């Protein structure tokens, strides 16, 4: 009897699942669009207050977090953060794609959904899903939803576990970045109208904006952000304000309005908000990761986060909040700048490549004709084939994809002289574009991939939309473009595109700097484990137990 008593005393007590009892009251996940993991190390000495330093000095900071797939784009990254899965699990392979089940006339975006419409747009808004792109043929503005998301998110599991009592919201300038990490059961997702900057949502979530959101839109905050960005009166809010630090503070102010208006953290269960900050990506494509403007963006965001976390502390108390920080992808340096240092960095004119490739395919399969064997809009790493055109010519999928895979390396090499730009005088020969690999849809579908790290990345990138395609992997530090100095991008399996921050703050986490190799899929797995709910349906991440405080006997 005594032995049994001692055994019971020595065992840690079993705690109730935290999400069910409101521990914590609120979880906030901050996603920074296009924020490479090394930025925190690089600018660490310049951070002040409790912005980034809240994670780095008082939280669990993982310095070596890398995505485990090859299609490093905004939509897949946000879906991965929410679901704890990769494209082969959540189904989102790019920002937009050709979907054979929906249209052979145009791509659909990762969240586009013609069954719904956007709500409460100002009368002067450009009627289109994408910022700045008018489409006068639309009778209403096409809405958005998580219809393409094939897995649940951490937020979905919170909603299921609490029978809908937990509230879950997503916020971003971009629709895909607000919708995908929040999930299918989210109470709401909010993003901006690209013209006016006012926040909107879709009838998938609600017929009209809540009163607090209408008040925010009517309060002049968008105009204030435009003044801060020195583009007062603009009708191109997304392009001009969205790329400035003012856009981050604008989003965070909307997050405050949402938390206040929905009374989050007061329901007796755990609520969740995902805030995806888009400005870094919009600017980063133009100026690159090593520019002065990028550093100023990061330092400004540090101050904004300091203010936002301070606001949370005053209103809810940081002791009642868990915070997580990550990014949807990294970024490559400007190709010409890397080439100056001797890096084998180059650009490939994809428009010219498509023209060459199509000519060769016509010569092989339709001599004397001009058939479009490729779907418009190269969007690396995917090259989508015109299935109907090949089938009309009597060509099978295997023959079509094999032909494209065979022709691509030589075509890329043939464009070298056309795409190369004169670099500052140096004794080295200029870098030339290279192909690191070409893989067909059939190879991806049947797992006929290298038994290597790269093979695993490719497998995680696969999602079938009913199209024929190949994946083109250019060499490291190489990308599409016509100028080596005209901006940069992300899409590759190389480490600079996959390296992102991962950090947590809150009562369960042991502060420290951790150097284990981890992945963004671990974010959802860790939060689900701590909250006592199921991991998302396709999750492959692990709970980061090395950074968790042991539960002591008697803790409630």
């Amino acid at each position: 009897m005594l032995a049994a008593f001692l055994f019971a005393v020595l065992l840690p007590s079993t705690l109730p699942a935290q999400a069910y009892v409101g521990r914590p009251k609120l979880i906030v996940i901050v996603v920074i669009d296009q924020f490479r993991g090394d930025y925190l190390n690089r600018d660490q000495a310049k951070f002040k207050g409790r912005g980034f330093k809240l994670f780095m000095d008082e939280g669990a900071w993982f310095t070596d977090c890398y995505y485990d797939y090859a299609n490093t784009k905004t939509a897949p990254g946000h879906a991965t953060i929410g679901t704890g899965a990769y494209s082969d699990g959540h189904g989102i392979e790019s920002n937009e794609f050709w979907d054979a089940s929906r249209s052979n006339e145009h791509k659909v975006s990762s969240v586009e959904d013609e069954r719904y419409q956007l709500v409460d747009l100002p009368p002067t808004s450009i009627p289109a899903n994408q910022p700045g792109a008018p489409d006068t043929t639309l009778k209403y503005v096409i809405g958005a939803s998580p219809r393409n998301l094939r897995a649940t998110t951490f937020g979905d599991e919170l909603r299921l576990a609490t029978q809908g009592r937990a509230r879950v919201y997503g916020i971003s300038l971009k629709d895909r970045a607000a919708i995908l990490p929040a999930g299918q059961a989210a109470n709401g997702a909010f993003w901006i109208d690209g013209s006016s900057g006012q926040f909107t949502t879709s009838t998938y979530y609600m017929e009209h904006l809540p009163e607090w959101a209408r008040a925010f839109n009517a309060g002049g905050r968008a105009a204030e952000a435009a003044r801060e960005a020195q583009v007062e009166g603009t009708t191109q809010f997304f392009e001009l304000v969205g790329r400035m630090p003012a856009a981050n503070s604008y989003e965070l102010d909307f997050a405050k309005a949402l938390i206040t208006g929905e009374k989050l953290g007061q329901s007796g269960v755990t609520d969740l908000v995902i805030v995806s900050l888009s400005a870094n990506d919009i600017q980063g494509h133009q100026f690159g990761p090593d520019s002065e403007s990028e550093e100023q963006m990061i330092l400004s965001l540090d101050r904004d986060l300091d203010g936002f976390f301070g606001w949370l502390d005053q209103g809810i108390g940081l002791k009642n909040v868990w915070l997580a920080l990550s990014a949807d992808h990294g970024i490559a340096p400007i190709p010409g700048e890397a080439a100056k240092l001797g890096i084998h960095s180059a650009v490939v004119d994809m428009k010219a490549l498509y023209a060459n490739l199509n000519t060769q395919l016509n010569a092989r399969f339709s001599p004397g004709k001009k058939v479009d064997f490729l779907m418009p809009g190269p969007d690396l790493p995917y090259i989508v084939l015109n299935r109907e055109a090949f089938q009309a010519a009597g060509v099978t999928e295997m023959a079509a994809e094999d032909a494209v895979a065979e022709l691509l390396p030589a075509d890329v090499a043939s464009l070298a002289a056309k795409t190369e730009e004169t670099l500052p005088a140096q004794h080295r020969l200029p870098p030339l574009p290279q192909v690191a690999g070409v893989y067909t849809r059939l190879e991806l579908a049947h797992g006929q991939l290298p038994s290597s790290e790269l093979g695993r990345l490719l497998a995680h990138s696969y999602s079938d939309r009913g199209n024929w395609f190949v994946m083109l992997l250019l060499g490291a530090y190489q990308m599409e473009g016509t100028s080596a100095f005209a901006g940069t991008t992300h899409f590759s399996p190389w480490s600079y595109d996959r390296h992102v921050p991962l950090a947590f703050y809150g009562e369960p986490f042991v502060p420290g700097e951790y150097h284990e190799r981890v992945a963004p899929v671990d974010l959802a797995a860790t939060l689900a484990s701590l909250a006592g709910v199921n991991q998302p349906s396709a999750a492959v991440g692990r709970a980061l137990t090395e950074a968790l405080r042991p539960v002591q006997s008697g803790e409630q």
Side-chain angles (χ1 to χ4, degrees):
M1 191 73 179
L2 178 60
F5 173 78
L6 291 175
F7 182 75
V9 169
L10 292 173
L11 279 177
S13 62
T14 301
L15 294 180
Q18 292 189 340
Y20 299 93
V21 296
R23 289 191 59 194
K25 294 181 179 180
L26 178 67
I27 298 174
V28 179
I29 300 174
V30 177
V31 183
I32 309 175
D33 202 326
Q34 194 193 118
F35 195 88
R36 216 169 55 201
D38 62 313
Y39 289 176
L40 294 180
N41 303 83
R42 187 179 69 185
D43 295 323
Q44 184 173 7
K46 299 177 182 178
F47 297 146
K48 299 178 180 178
R50 298 177 84 198
F52 289 121
K53 288 173 73 67
L54 184 66
F55 296 102
M56 300 167 75
D57 294 348
E58 303 177 51
W61 171 32
F62 290 86
T63 61
D64 295 281
C65 179
Y66 289 83
Y67 278 96
D68 227 17
Y69 61 2
N71 51 322
T72 41
K73 295 290 190 76
T74 295
H78 281 84
T80 290
I81 288 170
T83 64
Y86 293 113
S87 294
D88 60 336
H90 58 58
I92 306 295
E93 72 268 28
S94 194
N95 295 335
E96 57 182 17
F97 32 73
W98 291 98
D99 189 333
S101 68
R102 295 174 67 181
S103 176
N104 284 321
E105 303 300 323
H106 64 87
K107 290 182 178 180
V108 297
S109 88
S110 55
V111 293
E112 178 181 329
D113 195 338
E114 63 278 3
R115 301 171 302 175
Y116 302 97
Q117 57 185 304
L118 303 187
V119 305
D120 296 341
L121 291 174
T124 57
S125 292
I126 297 174
N129 227 22
Q130 298 302 313
D135 186 347
T136 56
T137 65
L138 293 177
K139 294 181 180 179
Y140 59 87
V141 185
I142 291 177
S145 81
R147 75 181 282 182
N148 292 313
L149 198 60
R150 297 172 180 170
T152 60
T153 62
F154 168 60
D156 290 334
E157 297 301 333
L158 270 181
R159 296 271 292 155
L160 286 167
T162 61
Q163 297 181 310
R165 288 186 297 147
R167 276 84 54 78
V168 175
Y169 292 91
I171 301 168
S172 182
L173 298 187
K174 302 177 181 180
D175 54 4
R176 57 185 177 267
I179 292 170
L180 295 173
Q184 304 167 40
N187 299 78
F190 302 95
W191 56 93
I192 66 164
D193 162 61
S195 174
S196 68
Q198 293 194 11
F199 279 90
T200 185
T201 189
S202 165
T203 51
Y204 176 85
Y205 301 101
M206 57 195 76
E207 292 297 320
H208 293 285
L209 289 171
E211 179 57 38
W212 61 262
R214 293 199 295 272
F216 182 91
N217 282 338
R221 186 62 182 87
E224 180 184 341
R227 285 194 296 272
E228 292 173 12
Q230 299 182 347
V231 288
E232 189 170 2
T234 183
T235 57
Q236 295 178 290
F237 191 99
F238 183 89
E239 292 88 348
L240 300 181
V241 182
R243 67 182 181 182
M244 302 296 286
N248 287 327
S249 60
Y250 180 61
E251 278 195 61
L252 291 171
D253 280 352
F254 186 81
K256 295 175 186 177
L258 183 151
I259 293 168
T260 301
E262 296 295 336
K263 297 181 173 59
L264 299 187
Q266 303 178 37
S267 64
V269 295
T270 297
D271 295 325
L272 171 66
V273 176
I274 302 105
V275 182
S276 175
L277 299 163
S278 307
N280 212 70
D281 182 74
I282 302 169
Q283 175 189 266
H285 278 284
Q286 182 178 2
F287 298 112
D290 305 307
S291 62
E292 182 179 350
S293 60
E294 176 64 14
E295 181 179 70
Q296 293 307 310
M297 176 73 76
I298 293 170
L299 296 180
S300 175
L301 178 54
D302 181 52
R303 293 190 293 271
D304 289 336
L305 290 175
D306 178 37
F308 179 60
F309 297 152
W311 180 86
L312 285 174
D313 196 19
Q314 291 180 356
I316 302 176
L318 284 181
K319 67 180 181 299
N320 300 312
V321 175
W322 296 348
L323 302 172
L325 172 73
S326 195
D328 56 344
H329 53 74
I331 191 68
I334 300 286
E337 297 298 330
K340 287 181 184 179
L341 299 176
I343 303 296
H344 202 105
S345 181
V347 294
V348 175
D349 185 339
M350 290 301 296
K351 185 176 181 181
L353 177 69
Y354 262 47
N356 285 0
L357 185 57
N358 208 53
T359 297
Q360 292 171 304
L361 292 171
N362 270 278
R364 182 174 298 192
F365 298 119
S366 299
K369 298 181 180 179
K370 292 184 178 180
V371 177
D372 291 327
F373 282 110
L374 304 175
M375 301 300 279
D379 187 13
L380 291 179
Y382 302 102
I383 295 178
V384 179
L385 282 56
N386 186 340
R387 177 176 178 169
E388 293 181 347
F390 278 108
Q391 288 177 328
V395 182
T396 66
E397 178 179 3
M398 180 177 290
E401 292 175 358
D402 286 348
V404 173
E406 173 194 337
L407 293 169
L408 274 171
D411 281 352
V412 170
S414 72
L415 289 170
K418 300 177 184 177
T419 60
E420 190 51 55
E421 234 178 58
T422 302
L423 297 172
Q426 55 183 2
H427 63 278
R428 297 171 180 150
L429 294 173
L432 301 176
Q434 297 176 332
V435 172
V438 182
Y439 302 90
T440 69
R441 189 203 73 83
L442 287 173
E443 288 174 326
L444 290 162
H446 297 137
Q448 297 169 344
L449 299 167
S451 56
S452 63
E453 170 81 8
L454 178 60
R456 190 176 75 254
L457 301 180
L458 291 167
H460 286 166
S461 307
Y462 176 67
S463 182
D464 187 7
R465 298 282 169 192
N467 297 299
W468 301 354
F469 67 86
V470 298
M471 285 187 73
L472 171 63
L473 304 185
L474 297 176
Y477 295 96
Q478 303 192 6
M479 64 193 67
E480 67 241 57
T482 55
S483 168
F485 292 94
T488 183
T489 193
H490 49 87
F491 67 90
S492 80
W494 310 120
S495 63
Y496 50 79
D497 279 346
R498 293 165 44 224
H499 188 196
V500 295
L502 181 62
F504 301 89
Y505 171 86
E507 184 269 338
F509 301 100
V510 179
E513 184 174 330
Y514 297 84
H515 297 281
E516 291 85 349
R517 183 70 169 247
V518 297
V521 290
D522 300 330
L523 188 154
T526 299
L527 293 180
S529 178
L530 289 170
V533 303
N534 290 327
Q535 290 196 5
S537 58
V540 296
R542 69 178 182 89
L544 298 172
T545 55
E546 61 267 42
L548 301 184
R549 184 171 62 86
V551 176
Q552 301 299 318
S553 177
E555 285 189 342
Q556 298 297 321

